[in-house]
Amino acid sequence: MSDRHALEPTGALSVETVTRVHHWNEHLFSFSITRPASFRFRSGEFVMLGLPDGQRPLLRAYSIASPSYDETLEFLSIKVPEGPLTSRLQGIQEGDAVFLGRKPTGTLVTDALLPGRRLFLLATGTGLAPFMSLIRDPDLYEQFAQIVIVHSVRRVSDLAYRDVLEGQLAGDPLVQDQALLQLHYVPTVTREPFHTTARIGTLFEDGTLFKAPITGPLALDPAQDRIMLCGSMAMIKEQAAMLDALGFKEGSNAAPGDYVIERAFVG
């Protein structure tokens, strides 16, 4: 794969080394890279990542899945056979070199939300990545009494990080105690048998997302509920329309609101 010496850093890109690769199934993998000492980001942000393509780097936006204090940067990616970048990226190995953008950004951050009591993190597919960063941030548990992470996928094997989430981050050095009490994981699989098979919208409608151990109103309440959306455009459009109809206001870094989506890309 990438010869580190063949990649040259630029003003916008550093050159980093792959430290770990994990293939969840034939469609999904995660990988970690070295982190520059000067690299700072807020939990939930994304960054440009890529490989050389002739004379120019081929870049794509990737949400950072690791917490902001981690020594490495972790990413979750689908494998697209014909994808210009992912068709090559899925073949990376430890020791390979990749380009990393120097300026992370994004709206899936708590700064873009008004204070609230419950936080619903709604993800399809690789849209889970920014939420894996957020839920390992101690600040999140100070800001919200309950965090509900919903992950909708087509197949059971697509439930990346399932063991970690089902264990409520047991063993995490910074948040395991808070997560045990405040973090709730709701996986749903739409195309294979599983204990939950409904789409995200249905989980709200039938009350699944308000059942014990989750406490509070049995419906979404703009006064205390906050929502983050990341994943397929269809899910984002559907849920954003529902939230708008309920009186929720979309937030941004400049004007915090009741819910946020990442408009820069669809994971």
Side-chain angles (χ1 to χ4, degrees), residues 107 112-114 249-261 263:
T107 46
L113 289 176
L114 294 167
K249 303 298 183 185
E250 183 180 351
S252 67
N253 282 291
D258 306 317
Y259 76 92
V260 288
I261 65 178
R263 294 188 176 277

Side-chain angles (χ1 to χ4, degrees), residues 120-135:
F120 292 89
L121 305 173
L122 311 180
T124 60
T126 56
L128 178 69
F131 302 150
M132 290 305 298
S133 177
L134 277 157
I135 64 172

Side-chain angles (χ1 to χ4, degrees), residues 3 14 31 40 122 129 140 149 164 175 185 189-190 195 207 243:
D3 177 0
S14 65
F31 58 99
R40 298 285 181 270
L122 311 180
L140 192 71
I149 185 164
V164 173
V175 301
Y185 172 51
V189 179
T190 58
H195 58 68
L243 294 171

Side-chain angles (χ1 to χ4, degrees), residues 119-165:
L119 175 63
F120 292 89
L121 305 173
L122 311 180
T124 60
T126 56
L128 178 69
F131 302 150
M132 290 305 298
S133 177
L134 277 157
I135 64 172
R136 290 181 280 186
D137 187 332
D139 290 345
L140 192 71
Y141 298 89
E142 298 293 327
Q143 293 172 274
F144 297 95
Q146 297 181 84
I147 297 108
V148 184
I149 185 164
V150 185
H151 191 201
S152 176
V153 297
R154 294 176 178 179
R155 303 180 309 156
V156 177
S157 64
D158 292 329
L159 289 171
Y161 304 102
R162 179 184 176 186
D163 289 347
V164 173
L165 291 166

Side-chain angles (χ1 to χ4, degrees), residues 15-78:
V15 176
E16 303 304 325
T17 303
V18 176
T19 60
R20 179 178 175 272
V21 181
H22 178 76
H23 294 272
W24 298 95
N25 59 22
E26 69 273 27
H27 302 294
L28 192 65
F29 72 108
S30 56
F31 58 99
S32 299
I33 65 173
T34 52
R35 176 178 179 172
S38 60
F39 189 88
R40 298 285 181 270
F41 72 98
R42 296 176 298 172
S43 301
E45 289 189 317
F46 69 88
V47 70
M48 301 307 291
L49 201 68
L51 295 169
D53 184 33
Q55 298 300 310
R56 301 178 60 183
L58 180 62
L59 304 170
R60 180 175 179 261
Y62 274 92
S63 290
I64 302 168
S66 46
S68 58
Y69 55 81
D70 206 322
E71 293 181 357
T72 61
L73 299 172
E74 185 174 4
F75 304 92
L76 179 64
S77 179
I78 55 173

